[in-house]
Amino acid sequence: GYDENQGGLENGDQSGSSNNVVVDNNRKIIYEVSYSITGEDVMDSKNEINNKVNEIKGYTESSNESNNHAVVVYKIPTDQLNSFLDYIDKFDGIGSKQINSYDVTSSYSYIEARISILQASREAYVKLLENEYLSRNEIIQLNDKIADIDTELLKINNKKLT
């Protein structure tokens, strides 16, 4: 699953009918769930699962399909992950199941710190613009710096969304 506000540690025991991924709110973990589906009703099963994914505000990252086989990778919100895994396990034709987890805590912390620094710099430049004794050239330079910061903030925020 994915969730920028929650993290988790994968519980290695995948046996039994109940899935158990333990959430740790001190980490930023991205879970990637991959399932293999085989059988005559592959597309029906896949469509039904996709509807569930949309319902819980997840999304399909990739999908590879042939006549009677599909491999699909979903991103699922952390708080919905266990119930989603249980939901998937009920389908006929589910073959292999793989759950990968990626700890992105340090990257997330770096990005948040970078955003704070850029916002503070922007505020300082805006405050400097209030000086009525600035030359036209100084005003242009400050506006250019503010525009550069705005561009970098936009790039960072767009990257966070992907």
Side-chain angles (χ1 to χ4, degrees):
Y2 66 93
D3 192 334
E4 67 181 36
N5 297 315
Q6 293 187 27
L9 300 173
E10 182 178 326
N11 183 334
D13 180 15
Q14 295 295 327
S15 62
S17 63
S18 181
N19 292 281
N20 188 20
V21 176
V22 180
V23 173
D24 173 3
N25 288 325
N26 296 319
R27 307 300 299 168
K28 305 292 181 197
I29 306 294
I30 295 175
Y31 289 100
E32 181 180 86
V33 178
S34 175
Y35 272 93
S36 169
I37 307 169
T38 56
E40 294 179 19
D41 298 328
V42 169
M43 293 311 292
D44 291 340
S45 295
K46 183 179 166 280
N47 289 336
E48 197 172 327
I49 293 167
N50 286 346
N51 289 338
K52 179 69 169 180
V53 168
N54 290 332
E55 178 185 311
I56 61 175
K57 302 200 181 346
Y59 63 93
T60 303
E61 183 174 77
S62 65
S63 180
N64 188 356
E65 304 152 6
S66 63
N67 291 339
N68 295 328
H69 183 79
V71 175
V72 186
V73 177
Y74 297 108
K75 295 285 181 116
I76 304 298
T78 303
D79 63 341
Q80 299 288 323
L81 184 58
N82 289 323
S83 63
F84 176 73
L85 294 172
D86 289 338
Y87 174 81
I88 291 280
D89 287 344
K90 295 176 184 173
F91 280 85
D92 289 335
I94 295 296
S96 64
K97 169 174 70 174
Q98 184 176 1
I99 303 171
N100 295 313
S101 60
Y102 306 97
D103 188 339
V104 295
T105 305
S106 61
S107 296
Y108 184 86
S109 297
Y110 170 79
I111 289 171
E112 291 300 306
R114 183 74 181 134
I115 288 172
S116 293
I117 291 167
L118 288 168
Q119 288 172 334
S121 296
R122 187 184 192 291
E123 289 173 17
Y125 288 131
V126 168
K127 185 142 183 83
L128 286 173
L129 279 175
E130 295 173 4
N131 183 339
E132 61 188 66
Y133 300 108
L134 291 175
S135 69
R136 183 179 305 185
N137 191 35
E138 290 171 324
I139 292 171
I140 291 170
Q141 287 176 339
L142 287 171
N143 280 324
D144 286 346
K145 288 186 181 289
I146 291 169
D148 289 345
I149 289 171
D150 288 344
T151 300
E152 190 167 349
L153 283 168
L154 185 61
K155 286 179 187 177
I156 290 171
N157 285 323
N158 284 340
K159 190 172 184 174
K160 280 175 63 176
L161 295 174
T162 59

